[in-house]
Amino acid sequence: MTNNRLHIDIETYSPESLADCGVHRYAAHPDFRILLFAYAFGDNPVTVIDLASGMTLPAPVRRALTDPKITKVAHNATFERTCIGAMMGQQLDPEQWECTMIQCARCGLPMSLGEAAKALGLQAQKMTEGKKLIKQFCTYHEAPAGLFGSQGGPMQPNDDPKGWETFKEYCRMDVEVERELDKALAWLEPTGDEQYLYAIDQIINDTGVQIDLELVDNAVRIDSIYKARLNVEAQRITGLSNPNSAAQLKTWISERTGLELDTLRKDDLPDIKKATDDEDVQRVLDIRAELNKTSTTKYETMQKVVGADGRVRGLLQFHGTRTGRWAGRLVQMQNLPQNHISDIDLARELLKEGDLDMIEICYGNVPDTLSQLIRTAFVAPEGQTFAVCDFSAIEARVLAWLAGEEWVLEVFRGHGKIYEATAAQMYGVPIEEITKTDPRRQKGKIAVLALGYGGGTGALATMGGARMGLSADDMDGIVEDWRKANPHIVKTWSKLETAVKRCCTTGIDLATCGLTFHKRPEDGTLTVELPSGRLLCYRNMTLGTNRWGKESLKFMGANSQTKRWEWIETYGGKLTENIVQAIARDCLAHTIIQLYEKNYDIVFHVHDEVVCEVEAAKAKEHLAAIQEIFADTPPWADGLPLKGAGYITPYYLKD
């Protein structure tokens, strides 16, 4: 390994909680400091600089931190780059940094340094003492027995010299592990676009987005007052000391109604309410349902993460999922509640005024109203506005393009009414017959949304088939009709599964649907070369037996629910979903790069939607240009019809 790679790991202190506020606010605190700085140029021995004990960074290291010829490498490089930049008093160029955590994600490995090292069986392994030492030396403590001075703070090196020496060794070993990991993952060299995209992502995260702190603070205050009122009312009705206690409340309801209740979960409350005529019990259940709403959690997070300039940063995690899509961090933009309030300007105004009574009079359910206003806390600065644009039906377009379902592509090249066209195709009628109110349109819509990845009646039910009044026979019919109308998509599921199975058993590269499948003999990783040239990776992909005793595919990955590293089963439909979402992600990546190069200020993006700050006076002109960029098909996706739809708004919302 050449000496133009500088491997870095640091240990830091800030009175802020890193987990709660994110690295940007953490490093911006006046008392933030770097305690230990471990580094190695190439394969040279690791050196630990004890900054907490008065040492200083050597001049060659300090120069290297801004030298574009030296690539800085770290695990979760955002942390090192941001913290070192704060120490130096300057913004460090993300184009000069590489992140082994992102490389782990690309390779289908755990993103944790320690877990990745275990999964690979590296010779160097992360020391287990780290968590205890970080709590000891890197977090704020109150000041018992004068250990930390009258103001409190972290434990100092001379308070535990032996522990401090272990901490230095821990920091040194992190560089050793990261460097070995860097070498082990060098086989998956990111494309030029991917490394460039990572730098753009870091710039977006560093820029952040402004929030309306007045609205946020009032939302937290009003929610607290309103829930206190509800608690008082519940206490008055029940006579209980703590009506929030499930045990106390179950006993009270049983005594009033004779109902024997196992749980009082949120999903159980409507059924319990229907089972009794007791108005007091019904009101208490309504109160409990309102108290269960976590309408202020995201507002409280905004208060914790906002910077001194009123902007929140670090909202996006690059390559946060197996497919390469971004994941949310801190405020979790990926699962913001939708807004359906018609006069949302008035609702915002009342909240900014802190008028709880008028909010309750106008909208009734206060927690629900606060929840619907969360998006609107993100605002454009004075003289600016948001241009919001997203891809229209991106997954349906990519799926049809991947499978070669030409009639679907023709719909998207023309009028774009995919729900009507699907219904017409399913039922063999002219599209003109399928009106907005035609029940067949709703069946076409639910089929498009639920059935593209091999799903059946279960997928329709999950998508809301039962709520639509569809019987099991109805759903069986929809599945059959949709599959007949989309034969190429149906064939794609088996094509992809067959290709992966053959590649796993023969070790021979296979190509189908514009994709190339390869299994690495070195570690069993199955790679799927996407049309963009990017690789989608499945660690240790192999054939196994599923719970029904049938042959199935499985690979090692992080369980989406438990986050544990374990065997995960997959099949043709799931492979199709992964590949379609990965291609859709690459379309978004192409668009983000185009927007960046045309000097649009992207403040964040969510799923397939991008939010830019633009000059308010020229907002319509900017939106039109942004929509054109969204419609620009990447050079590797010939024949894929893309379309962007957008709107202008002074604050973020779901149009």
Side-chain angles (χ1 to χ4, degrees), residues 456-468:
T457 54
L460 288 175
T462 301
M463 195 61 69
R467 290 195 301 273
M468 288 171 55

Side-chain angles (χ1 to χ4, degrees), residues 63-73 81 92-98 195 199:
R63 286 195 299 270
L65 291 169
T66 56
D67 185 347
K69 296 177 183 176
I70 304 292
T71 299
K72 277 66 72 175
V73 189
R81 182 180 58 81
L92 296 180
D93 183 359
E95 287 198 62
Q96 298 178 20
W97 287 74
E98 289 184 12
Q195 197 57 37

Side-chain angles (χ1 to χ4, degrees), residues 116-176:
K118 285 180 186 176
L120 288 172
L122 299 182
Q123 183 175 353
Q125 293 287 322
K126 194 172 174 71
M127 289 172 59
T128 57
E129 298 91 337
K131 190 177 291 187
K132 172 180 175 290
L133 294 167
I134 287 169
K135 186 175 181 181
Q136 185 173 329
F137 292 110
C138 300
T139 60
Y140 181 88
H141 301 271
E142 295 298 337
L147 247 186
F148 311 107
S150 59
Q151 300 302 312
M155 183 177 282
Q156 299 300 310
N158 57 7
D159 293 325
D160 181 8
K162 185 177 178 181
W164 185 251
E165 288 304 310
T166 304
F167 197 32
K168 287 160 68 174
E169 177 61 13
Y170 167 77
C171 187
R172 187 193 72 78
M173 274 303 300
D174 270 7
V175 175
E176 295 278 15

Side-chain angles (χ1 to χ4, degrees), residues 90-390:
Q90 67 184 92
Q91 196 93 349
L92 296 180
D93 183 359
E95 287 198 62
Q96 298 178 20
W97 287 74
E98 289 184 12
C99 180
T100 51
M101 184 179 79
I102 302 302
Q103 191 69 338
C104 284
R106 290 188 181 112
C107 292
L109 286 163
M111 295 176 80
S112 153
L113 179 62
E115 292 302 312
K118 285 180 186 176
L120 288 172
L122 299 182
Q123 183 175 353
Q125 293 287 322
K126 194 172 174 71
M127 289 172 59
T128 57
E129 298 91 337
K131 190 177 291 187
K132 172 180 175 290
L133 294 167
I134 287 169
K135 186 175 181 181
Q136 185 173 329
F137 292 110
C138 300
T139 60
Y140 181 88
H141 301 271
E142 295 298 337
L147 247 186
F148 311 107
S150 59
Q151 300 302 312
M155 183 177 282
Q156 299 300 310
N158 57 7
D159 293 325
D160 181 8
K162 185 177 178 181
W164 185 251
E165 288 304 310
T166 304
F167 197 32
K168 287 160 68 174
E169 177 61 13
Y170 167 77
C171 187
R172 187 193 72 78
M173 274 303 300
D174 270 7
V175 175
E176 295 278 15
V177 177
E178 180 274 316
R179 180 167 58 182
E180 192 172 335
L181 183 65
D182 185 42
K183 292 178 180 179
L185 304 183
W187 64 268
L188 182 58
E189 190 70 28
T191 65
D193 275 358
E194 279 299 296
Q195 197 57 37
Y196 183 36
L197 184 67
Y198 169 73
I200 294 171
D201 167 82
Q202 296 296 283
I203 292 167
I204 294 169
N205 273 303
D206 289 349
T207 301
V209 59
Q210 186 170 313
I211 63 168
D212 188 331
L213 264 175
E214 183 181 34
L215 182 140
V216 169
D217 291 343
N218 276 334
V220 173
R221 183 180 61 82
I222 282 176
D223 188 71
S224 176
I225 293 170
Y226 184 71
K227 287 184 174 177
R229 286 185 189 175
L230 291 179
N231 263 315
V232 169
E233 184 183 354
Q235 284 177 323
R236 179 182 58 77
I237 295 171
T238 63
L240 299 173
S241 60
N242 180 15
N244 277 324
S245 163
Q248 289 186 32
L249 195 56
K250 280 192 294 183
T251 301
W252 180 79
I253 293 172
S254 295
E255 290 173 352
R256 294 275 303 212
T257 66
L259 295 172
E260 293 297 324
L261 305 176
D262 294 325
T263 68
L264 277 176
R265 292 175 303 194
K266 180 172 64 174
D267 294 342
D268 298 329
L269 299 183
D271 291 335
I272 299 170
K273 187 177 174 182
K274 287 178 185 176
T276 179
D277 295 328
D278 190 308
E279 292 183 0
D280 282 347
V281 171
Q282 290 179 338
R283 176 56 188 155
V284 169
L285 290 172
D286 286 340
I287 289 172
R288 185 170 181 84
E290 287 198 65
L291 290 173
N292 279 340
K293 287 186 178 291
T294 55
S295 57
T296 60
T297 302
K298 290 187 185 294
Y299 289 117
E300 290 166 352
T301 301
M302 291 179 206
Q303 289 178 321
K304 292 174 183 174
V305 305
V306 66
D309 59 355
R311 296 180 80 91
V312 295
R313 296 173 169 83
L315 297 176
L316 299 166
Q317 174 59 62
F318 188 80
H319 214 303
T321 68
R322 182 178 299 115
T323 61
R325 284 187 161 187
W326 283 260
R329 292 293 182 264
L330 302 173
V331 182
Q332 291 294 346
M333 306 293 284
Q334 265 72 359
N335 62 2
L336 294 175
Q338 292 195 4
N339 49 269
H340 303 286
I341 300 172
S342 56
D343 50 351
I344 199 164
D345 283 335
L346 174 61
R348 287 190 87 255
E349 187 178 332
L350 292 174
L351 181 54
K352 284 171 69 67
E353 290 172 357
D355 197 333
L356 169 57
D357 293 334
M358 282 302 295
I359 291 174
E360 191 169 10
I361 290 168
C362 293
Y363 304 102
N365 190 322
V366 173
D368 181 65
T369 304
L370 296 179
S371 182
Q372 291 196 51
L373 290 174
I374 287 172
R375 288 175 185 263
T376 74
F378 299 96
V379 296
E382 187 175 352
Q384 302 281 101
T385 193
F386 286 150
V388 183
C389 192
D390 72 344

Side-chain angles (χ1 to χ4, degrees), residues 497-513:
E497 184 167 337
T498 299
V500 173
K501 285 181 176 178
R502 286 181 179 171
C503 189
C504 284
T505 53
T506 67
I508 298 171
D509 290 2
L510 291 166
T512 187
C513 301

